[in-house]
Structure formats: C-alpha cells, structure tokens
Amino acid sequence: MAKDKKLVEAITAMEDDFAQWYTDVVKKAELADYSSVRGCMILRPNGYAIWENIQKVLDAKFKETGVENVAMPMFIPESLLNKEKDHVEGFAPEVAWVTHGGQKELQERLCVRPTSETLFCDFYSKIIQSHRDLPKLYNQWVSVVRWEKTTRPFLRTSEFFWQEGHTAHATAEEAEARTVQMLNMYADFCEQYLAIPVVKGQKTEKEKFAGAHATYTIEALMHDGKALQSGTSHNFGDGFAKAFGIQYTDKDNKLQYVHQTSWGMSTRIIGAIIMVHGDDSGLVLPPRIAPVQTMIVPIMQKKEGVLDKAEEIRKKLASSYKVKVDDSDKSPGWKFSEQEVRGIPTRIEIGPKDIEKNQAVIVRRDTREKIIVSLDEIETKLGEVLEQMQSDMLERAKKHLAEHTVEARNWDEFKAHIEKQDGFVKAMWCGETECEEAIKDETTATTRCMPFEQEHLSDVCVHCGKPAKKMVYFGKAY
Ligand SMILES: [Zn+2]
C-alpha cells in the first residue's frame, strides 16, 4: 500500500504551491515533458491524444462552415514579414531566424513562422482576382515558434501546436460575421466539450493582435484565480489587404480590397483543462474530450474468469466508448492511483464477487462516487454516468467563475481585489491606453476583455475618474 500512495503523494497540494502542483500534474499524468531544446516541450501520448481529440472536434466544426485545410511553409522571408508595419513590430522580439543553409549564409534571412498572416496574404494576393474567388476560408494545423524567455508546459513554450484560420471576404460585414462566428465556435467548444465556461469580449487597443483592426477573445478562469486567454479571433479589416495588394474586381468590374480575418486555438487550452478541473490527485478530464473514458480494473485478476470477464465488458463497451483494460501486474491500488492521476473520467472495478452477482462498480474520477451496476445494463449506465459527470464539471466551473468575478467601484476596492488574486474584477474604464498601462504598473492586472455583455457599474473610470467608456474584465493572467 505504501507504494500505491507514492504516485499521489508526489503531487504537491494545490493550496501549498499552485505552480508546482501544475508542473507535477503535467509530469505525473505524463502529458508532456521538457526536451533538450530550450523552451520546447515534448507532447507525450497522454497529452497528444487530448490534442488529437480537440483537433477532431474543431476540424469537423470548421469544415461544416466551409473551411478548407492547407499547409503553408514554415519559413517566412524577412521582406514578407516586414510588409505590414504593426505586425512585424508586434512579433519581431520573439522571432527565430534562419541565417544559413548548410555552410552558406542566406542572401535573405528566413524567420521560423510565429504565425502565418504574411504567407497567407502573399498567397491570397496571387490567387484572388475576382469576386468569384471569394470567400477564401483556409485553415492549417501546424506548430509555430515564438522565442519565449520563460516557458511553462502548454502555457508558454517556444514551439507550440495550434490551428490558424485565415479568411478573405468581399465585404467588411462578411469579415466581421466570420470573426464573431469563429469566436462563438471556440466558446461553445470550450463549454460543451471541455466543460470550461468563458467570458467573450473584445481586446483593448493595447492588447489586440499586431496588425488587427479588432481582436475578440475568450477568457477562462483558472483554479488559482488567474485568467487564461483561451482562443482569439481577429478582424483585420482591409489593412493587410492594402499592405499586400489583395484586390478583386467586384460585380461592377471595380477593383476592391478584400477584408480578412484570422483565428486560432492552441495546445495552451490543455493547460486550461488542467487548471480548471484538476485536483490534488491529479488531472480530471471532461468525458467528451478524454482519450480514455473508462479504465476497467480487474480485481484479483489471477482468479479464473476475471480477466475474461474484464475483456468481455471491454468488448461490449468498445463500440460506444473509449475503453481500456488495465491487465498489467500492478496492484489494483496502484492502478486506481494511475487512473486518477491521469484524469481518466471513470474506472470499472470487476472482481470475483462482482462476477458472482453479475455486477460491476463504476467509480467517477471527479466525485469518487461508486455506482454499482448490473452487467446487463452497464452500457447505458456508463453513458449516463459520463454525461452526468460532463455536465457536473461544467456546472462546478460555472459556479467557480461566478463566485470569483467581483465588481470594483473605486480604486481601493480594485486594488484589494487584485491583491487577493481571486478571479476577475469587473470595473469601468475610460478607454485610454495610458490609464490601462498605469493600472498594470500599479497592480500587474491587465485588461482581459471588454465583454460583449456590457454592464453599467458607474459613470467614471475606476482608476483615473474620467468619464467611463467601457466595462472591462481585469485580472492577473497567464
Ligand atoms: Zn481611466
């Protein structure tokens, strides 16, 4: 038993040190590991399988709306990156450069893509001529590189995986509609599949994407009261089109600039899953995104018939669920710990006594509730348990978000809330970047978003007292 406990004891308690708890979960659940490349992580099978499931769901949703996948080069010539001024300024500090091909110095440096707007724009300028060529709805699933100073698995790494959608439209209205559509898709995905409620809103001028006309974001709240930007959707207007000369002839044969969007979700979202749902025993995966939904653990598996029964149950469940049998020679206690650390939503315990009674025990990972079910009904019962768990997880996360979102009507209240780092602080703001920067300097809190659902808390800015323009969610963030 001492050995069985070891696996769990290796995880630091959340309350003692949240950052260490996070690192422990990432390692013990075998989601990711550090590599020999500075700032780059290795996605291990347990972690990559979650990303694959995220990909599967999102990719199908994208395609339902007409999006097509492409693959662009991973290098961008310096001259191309320099074409849009704000964009290059925004990314220059974290770009990695290729200067040599073999022994020979390159005539023009190539950057390793930090994001691919410039490549898509260059391509669109060549393939878009007429209104008949529009819209273009392209997406790619790739990794990108941003030379980060400090890194943490999933949250900030020099190379990370994501999808980046890039669209070109005939009108500003169409581009805006697509920007909002994709943000809503991300938000629905987070709620329905990841059981993570989000706040939807617009980024301030200071926080928006380099080169964008407007950036929309979904912000999620982690267990420790910090926010995590979980997906963004940008409306570029015709700024990139003008810089790259992307024009089409309209129905009246007039030359027009296209209007563009881009939108992305990355492996960062796995960090959100860990920090929204995890507990002191490890990861807790929402059933709809879990690579393994139930682990069958045979009890006294050497007794005749036990492993056969476990296998029989697996076969029965395999057509409806992602199910595995742990028939390794580890003790059941150790297997339970492993299933818990890895966040597998349920386990099914089956031993000689259960077989005698034609039953099995389903144990929920989140509540540890034990549910005895007849083997005749196990297929439907497991489905019910998983659905219940999925919806309970969302409700708990919603409750946490609601309980950790507070209002600040004056500067003292604001500072007190931020100091506690207890979630989002809603407050009125004057709309001026200088004031936003002063707030950040004094408290380290940043504007997370100007939510689409605005409230009027007072007439004046919480910091400077000037007339208020927007209600803003502030918070400390990853
Ligand atoms: Zn102000």
Side-chain angles (χ1 to χ4, degrees), residues 83-98:
K83 271 197 172 178
E84 213 285 338
K85 197 179 131 281
D86 291 339
H87 187 68
V88 68
E89 277 174 14
F91 282 98
E94 49 191 36
V95 159
W97 291 102
V98 177

Side-chain angles (χ1 to χ4, degrees), residues 32-58:
D33 215 330
Y34 295 100
S35 71
S36 304
V37 191
R38 197 197 67 94
C40 293
M41 66 172 171
I42 294 161
L43 277 174
R44 302 187 67 176
N46 291 346
Y48 198 73
I50 299 171
W51 181 237
E52 282 180 308
N53 283 349
I54 291 171
Q55 274 187 301
K56 252 181 248 165
V57 178
L58 280 180

Side-chain angles (χ1 to χ4, degrees), residues 430 435 461 464:
C430 59
C435 181
C461 173
C464 69

Side-chain angles (χ1 to χ4, degrees), residues 163-452:
Q163 58 70 216
E164 47 178 325
H166 297 267
T167 69
H169 306 266
T171 66
E173 293 73 29
E174 258 186 62
E176 175 64 13
R178 174 57 69 166
T179 315
V180 173
Q181 179 184 21
M182 300 321 281
L183 189 84
N184 284 331
M185 194 179 280
Y186 290 146
D188 292 346
F189 169 72
C190 284
E191 286 220 353
Q192 292 165 11
Y193 287 85
L194 310 183
I196 297 176
V198 294
V199 180
K200 292 189 272 188
Q202 186 174 351
K203 286 282 182 191
T204 61
E205 279 296 300
K206 180 179 179 291
E207 297 287 331
K208 75 178 187 187
F209 182 81
H213 166 69
T215 290
Y216 301 141
T217 177
I218 50 170
E219 300 284 325
L221 190 64
M222 306 299 103
H223 250 315
D224 63 345
K226 277 197 194 176
L228 188 87
Q229 179 180 300
S230 303
T232 48
S233 188
H234 316 287
N235 184 345
F236 290 135
D238 57 7
F240 275 94
K242 283 181 172 157
F244 284 81
I246 315 171
Q247 287 182 293
Y248 69 97
T249 49
D250 67 12
K251 284 173 186 152
D252 302 322
N253 224 20
K254 277 189 194 144
L255 214 49
Q256 306 280 5
Y257 285 107
V258 298
H259 294 260
Q260 289 171 272
T261 80
S262 87
W263 25 273
M265 185 173 267
S266 75
T267 37
R268 209 168 194 234
I269 197 71
I270 297 174
I273 298 172
I274 299 166
M275 290 192 287
V276 169
H277 300 302
D279 62 21
D280 282 343
S281 303
L283 186 64
V284 182
L285 284 171
R288 279 188 207 153
I289 212 70
V292 180
Q293 293 171 312
T294 195
M295 181 65 84
I296 301 172
V297 181
I299 313 289
M300 302 174 76
Q301 66 183 29
K302 281 183 186 143
K303 283 232 167 161
E304 204 191 325
V306 173
L307 276 181
D308 290 342
K309 200 67 178 177
E311 180 55 22
E312 187 188 314
I313 297 169
R314 188 196 67 77
K315 275 194 186 141
K316 199 170 174 181
L317 297 174
S319 58
S320 311
Y321 311 100
K322 295 162 199 149
V323 50
K324 276 189 173 175
V325 177
D326 188 347
D327 57 3
S328 64
D329 63 0
K330 298 166 191 162
S331 72
W334 183 270
K335 292 177 187 179
F336 295 168
S337 294
E338 258 184 353
Q339 171 255 332
E340 290 183 357
V341 170
R342 290 175 186 184
I344 296 169
T346 56
R347 70 169 177 263
I348 294 174
E349 302 173 4
I350 179 88
K353 279 182 189 157
D354 299 305
I355 295 169
E356 242 171 61
K357 294 180 191 161
N358 192 43
Q359 69 178 35
V361 185
I362 301 176
V363 185
R364 263 173 73 158
R365 168 63 182 88
D366 59 337
T367 57
R368 292 188 168 77
E369 186 188 351
K370 292 188 171 203
I371 304 139
I372 296 168
V373 296
S374 153
L375 289 181
D376 304 327
E377 294 179 328
I378 195 161
E379 218 177 327
T380 41
K381 287 288 177 200
L382 178 63
E384 286 167 21
V385 170
L386 290 171
E387 275 306 296
Q388 190 61 48
M389 179 172 166
Q390 179 82 30
S391 85
D392 288 351
M393 287 176 77
L394 177 60
E395 285 315 307
R396 273 198 301 274
K398 276 185 174 172
K399 193 164 167 266
H400 181 261
L401 174 62
E403 284 172 357
H404 294 83
T405 304
V406 293
E407 292 173 8
R409 285 163 201 278
N410 58 56
W411 187 236
D412 286 340
E413 273 181 30
F414 187 95
K415 276 196 295 191
H417 285 316
I418 290 294
E419 218 159 277
K420 272 196 280 173
Q421 191 191 298
D422 205 20
F424 288 123
V425 180
K426 295 196 284 189
M428 301 306 286
W429 172 58
C430 59
E432 285 171 28
T433 304
E434 257 179 39
C435 181
E436 185 181 357
E437 278 166 355
I439 294 171
K440 190 182 174 186
D441 287 346
E442 280 179 56
T443 65
T444 73
T446 50
T447 54
R448 302 318 308 154
C449 72
M450 303 178 282
F452 294 145

